[in-house]
Amino acid sequence: MKLKCYHLVGVPAAGKSTWVKSQTIFKEGEFTVVSSDKFIDDHAEKEGKTYNEVFKDYAPIAMRLMENHALIAQANNLNIFWDQTNVSVKSRKKKFDLLPDYEHIAVVFSIPDKDEHDRRLASRPGKSIPDNVMRSMIDNFQMPTTDEGYTQVVVL
């Protein structure tokens, strides 16, 4: 049976990380979560700074560490929850290219209504996203399709 890579697709604060934590299948130990945020959060804590303060300089390193984490998961026969925004075909293709032997499943998270989205964003101290960056992600969102190579596209 093929290993599975679940691409979580949605803007920041859409509920991706919260959803992963709620998945009982994840607790069975056959899955790992691949995310650049974990590496950025860990680095910020080590430096005594916020996510925002280290993001610009550390993000490229976190991306390499994240990709390496995915390859380690593959070597250890682990299924993956890929917890990033994954809002463009281009960003998702990198995951397909990195893990060609996996079954890829998209899990799409809708954008909450404005008040709820603003509340969620505000609940993340030290981790803010400029309005223009958020607007760009929303405007450039591309719905995943089976034509990209997904065996399933699940919209939550």
Side-chain angles (χ1 to χ4, degrees):
M1 185 163 68
K2 272 188 158 184
L3 292 170
K4 295 180 181 181
C5 181
Y6 292 86
H7 299 215
L8 308 188
V9 180
V11 298
K16 299 178 303 294
S17 298
T18 300
W19 180 83
V20 167
K21 291 173 189 167
S22 75
Q23 297 306 296
T24 56
I25 193 169
F26 173 66
K27 294 171 180 64
E28 294 174 6
E30 297 173 3
F31 281 84
T32 191
V33 177
V34 172
S35 171
S36 57
D37 277 356
K38 172 77 171 114
F39 293 107
I40 296 168
D41 285 336
D42 288 350
H43 180 72
E45 184 177 330
K46 187 174 94 177
E47 295 292 315
K49 297 181 177 180
T50 67
Y51 183 100
N52 286 354
E53 291 172 322
V54 302
F55 180 82
K56 183 180 177 190
D57 292 333
Y58 198 73
I61 296 165
M63 295 296 279
R64 286 193 303 276
L65 292 169
M66 175 190 64
E67 289 175 359
N68 192 45
H69 183 195
L71 293 173
I72 291 168
Q74 180 182 38
N76 287 293
N77 294 313
L78 293 172
N79 296 293
I80 294 171
F81 285 113
W82 203 302
D83 186 1
Q84 276 192 298
T85 57
N86 295 310
V87 295
S88 72
V89 171
K90 182 180 177 183
S91 68
R92 296 188 296 258
K93 184 178 182 321
K94 291 178 183 179
K95 282 85 176 172
F96 282 99
D97 292 346
L98 190 66
L99 303 169
D101 297 330
Y102 273 67
E103 175 184 353
H104 294 267
I105 299 162
V107 181
V108 183
F109 294 77
S110 301
I111 301 168
D113 67 63
K114 180 160 178 31
D115 289 342
E116 176 62 14
H117 197 222
D118 289 346
R119 184 195 66 75
R120 291 180 188 181
L121 288 167
S123 73
R124 304 168 357 151
K127 189 176 187 179
S128 61
I129 297 156
D131 289 340
N132 66 317
V133 173
M134 182 64 75
R135 175 66 19 219
S136 176
M137 280 190 255
I138 292 169
D139 290 346
N140 294 306
F141 177 86
Q142 296 172 294
M143 180 61 82
T145 67
T146 54
D147 289 343
E148 285 180 67
Y150 289 109
T151 57
Q152 294 178 59
V153 176
V154 179
V155 180
L156 301 180

